[in-house]
């Protein structure tokens, strides 16, 4: 029974990897949609005056994300103190592992 389960899990993993590689070129579009949704919420709440985003696929798993934010001094300070540390904290563990 165990060899059958191992074989099944290996074949399932291979299929999932192939699916991920198939949809990888769509990542810039998905990233742009996600970033625009988040920035739209920030604009509605007054954290950001205006924004513009552009995501470009440079190669497989390499992307360039351009953000243009229109902020006042108070909004910039609010972003730097309150939002950026919490948004970047998810990368701290990954970076130091």
């Amino acid at each position: 029974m165990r060899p059958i389960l191992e074989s099944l899990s290996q074949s399932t993993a291979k299929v999932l990897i192939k699916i991920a590689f198939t949809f990888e070129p769509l990542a810039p579009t998905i990233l742009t949609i996600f970033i625009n949704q988040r920035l739209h919420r920030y604009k509605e709440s007054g954290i950001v005056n205006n924004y513009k985003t552009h995501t470009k696929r440079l190669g497989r798993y390499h992307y360039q994300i351009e953000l243009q934010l229109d902020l006042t001094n108070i909004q910039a300070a609010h972003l730097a103190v309150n939002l950026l540390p919490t948004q970047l904290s998810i990368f701290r563990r990954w970076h130091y592992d």
Side-chain angles (χ1 to χ4, degrees):
M1 184 73 172
R2 187 174 179 122
I4 294 171
L5 290 175
E6 288 177 6
S7 171
L8 184 63
S9 67
Q10 288 175 355
S11 64
T12 304
K14 287 179 185 178
V15 169
L16 291 175
I17 289 171
K18 287 181 183 180
I19 290 172
F21 285 141
T22 303
F23 291 107
E24 188 270 335
L26 298 174
T29 305
I30 294 167
L31 287 170
T32 301
I33 290 170
F34 175 74
I35 292 169
N36 279 333
Q37 287 177 348
R38 181 68 56 99
L39 289 173
H40 184 71
R41 281 189 238 139
Y42 290 164
K43 184 177 179 180
E44 286 180 339
S45 64
I47 297 172
V48 173
N49 284 341
N50 204 358
Y51 63 89
K52 192 182 289 188
T53 63
H54 179 71
T55 307
K56 180 179 177 182
R57 183 175 187 248
L58 302 176
R60 185 178 241 173
Y61 303 113
H62 292 100
Y63 309 101
Q64 178 181 6
I65 301 172
E66 182 179 324
L67 296 174
Q68 295 178 0
L69 300 175
D70 183 19
L71 306 169
T72 63
N73 290 339
I74 295 170
Q75 290 170 331
H78 176 75
L79 280 173
V81 171
N82 296 319
L83 296 178
L84 290 178
T86 59
Q87 295 295 320
L88 296 176
S89 67
I90 62 171
F91 296 109
R92 285 191 195 131
R93 181 171 178 206
W94 171 76
H95 179 69
Y96 292 113
D97 280 349

